[in-house]
Amino acid sequence: MSGRRNVPSAASSADHRDGVGRFRSAEARGRFLEQLNAVLESWPERTDLSIETSFGTTAYSTISPSGPSALGESSVTPLVLLQGGNSTIAGWSKLIGPWSRTRTVVAIDTVWEAGRSVQLAPMNDGELVAQWLEEVIDALGLESLHLIGYSYGAWAALNHILHAPDRLATVTAIDPPGAITGIPLRAWARLIRLMRGGREEALDFLAWVRNGELPPPPMRDLLLSSTLDFVKRGSPLPRRLRADDWAGITVPLEVIVAGSSQFVPRRALRTLRRHAPDIDVHVLDGIGHAVLSDAPEDTVSIVEEFISRFEAQ
């Protein structure tokens, strides 16, 4: 695929200090990258680059309506995407095409997850996560952006509102576990089983978050690799926003909640109505936590309608 350059080089687990995410071996990283590239072949033409931050090398991909180009060439505010846990940037595959027809889209490999990024320092609280993302935004040269996060990335997006809101034109948080209410005990049980298990437990988890349906290859193989070939360390658990956090938000914010989410219980809607009555809330009835794969068209249209209301005139 043309237009790609400066992709981070491979790093073995020996290159990592204690307390940071790492692949189990160079072979595991190679297997993961092979599966990732297989999925990304379906993407529009993209540019792959990397940024050096205080926490390690952060990889990202950009797609622009006119093809590969530098950020800042368009007057339209770009979208910046934060992936979910274990899902990689490939989780955006069904949404990246529609969004990139009208504006530049930047998909970031969060540094603590399996991906092309390489973590070199722990990020064990929300302030450090915000510092990392601010360094990325600085390096991208963005004065304004629409920030969209899914799952863990949705918590990171909400966290950024609290710590560094100035350049955020809008924020969209898609089914953010742990940010609105606690994660249900049954979900914790599944996560513990996943962390202690192997391939069968990983397949069972992938089916569970998709209401019983496994994703097809090569996405299935990529998700298995991101779960089994990578060890996550040095990243914080999502923190629940307090009442005063919600009250202090001034950035235009929408929250998309999966109606049958395994991680965000329905009582989260009551919390939002009570503490954040002015934000936009959308419920995708009958959809589980795997919103990006199971409701891509709805998600695309909800986000486009929302951000169009806050575009600079």
Side-chain angles (χ1 to χ4, degrees):
M1 186 173 294
S2 65
R4 291 182 284 182
R5 59 189 186 274
N6 195 26
V7 179
S9 60
S12 70
S13 60
D15 294 327
H16 293 265
R17 297 196 293 268
D18 289 342
V20 299
R22 66 189 186 279
F23 284 95
R24 297 184 185 276
S25 65
E27 180 184 6
R29 188 177 193 273
R31 180 167 51 244
F32 168 86
L33 291 175
E34 182 179 356
Q35 301 296 344
L36 177 63
N37 288 332
V39 176
L40 296 185
E41 284 299 319
S42 66
W43 281 34
E45 189 175 15
R46 70 184 196 275
T47 302
D48 293 347
L49 297 167
S50 64
I51 292 166
E52 296 303 324
T53 73
S54 301
F55 303 92
T57 302
T58 299
Y60 66 97
S61 295
T62 65
I63 301 174
S64 297
S66 57
S69 63
L71 279 169
E73 290 185 3
S74 172
S75 61
V76 181
T77 304
L79 305 185
V80 175
L81 311 181
L82 298 178
Q83 68 190 62
N86 290 348
S87 68
T88 80
I89 66 165
W92 302 105
S93 292
K94 294 183 179 181
L95 302 87
I96 201 81
W99 279 339
S100 63
R101 291 187 192 118
T102 56
R103 68 184 69 236
T104 297
V105 180
V106 183
I108 296 174
D109 289 43
T110 46
V111 74
W112 57 83
E113 296 281 354
R116 301 162 300 175
S117 297
V118 179
Q119 186 180 14
L120 296 176
M123 303 163 67
N124 52 16
D125 63 40
E127 186 172 352
L128 293 178
V129 171
Q131 180 186 333
W132 161 77
L133 185 53
E134 275 294 279
E135 290 183 25
V136 173
I137 294 170
D138 284 341
L140 292 173
L142 298 179
E143 295 301 322
S144 180
L145 64 140
H146 298 290
L147 186 60
I148 304 173
Y150 163 65
S151 192
Y152 193 116
W155 168 77
L158 291 170
N159 176 73
H160 212 66
I161 294 178
L162 304 182
H163 292 285
D166 291 348
R167 288 183 284 189
L168 302 178
T170 69
V171 170
T172 298
I174 304 172
D175 217 43
I180 306 171
T181 62
I183 296 174
L185 290 177
R186 66 183 182 278
W188 278 119
R190 289 276 187 167
L191 288 169
I192 291 170
R193 183 183 176 196
L194 173 67
M195 290 185 289
R196 293 178 176 175
R199 179 182 173 85
E200 290 305 313
E201 287 76 14
L203 286 169
D204 181 66
F205 183 85
L206 290 177
W208 177 66
V209 296
R210 289 163 178 78
N211 292 335
E213 295 289 333
L214 279 170
M219 181 65 81
R220 181 192 309 174
D221 299 323
L222 173 61
L223 294 173
L224 282 173
S225 180
S226 69
T227 302
L228 301 175
D229 288 330
F230 188 81
V231 180
K232 279 194 279 193
R233 296 286 188 273
S235 58
L237 290 174
R239 181 183 71 79
R240 189 186 312 183
L241 274 68
R242 302 181 298 265
D244 58 335
D245 292 329
W246 292 111
I249 290 175
T250 58
V251 174
L253 169 64
E254 68 172 347
V255 177
I256 300 174
V257 177
S260 299
S261 177
Q262 292 82 356
F263 288 96
V264 182
R266 296 286 292 195
R267 68 177 183 276
L269 299 176
R270 295 195 298 271
T271 298
L272 291 174
R273 285 194 295 267
R274 182 166 63 251
H275 297 310
D278 295 330
I279 71 170
D280 283 35
V281 178
H282 305 270
V283 180
L284 299 175
D285 290 327
I287 301 298
H289 183 62
V291 172
L292 304 187
S293 62
D294 294 350
E297 295 87 358
D298 288 339
T299 305
V300 165
S301 61
I302 289 169
V303 170
E304 287 183 342
E305 189 280 330
F306 177 69
I307 64 177
S308 68
R309 290 157 37 199
F310 301 98
E311 294 285 10
Q313 300 299 317

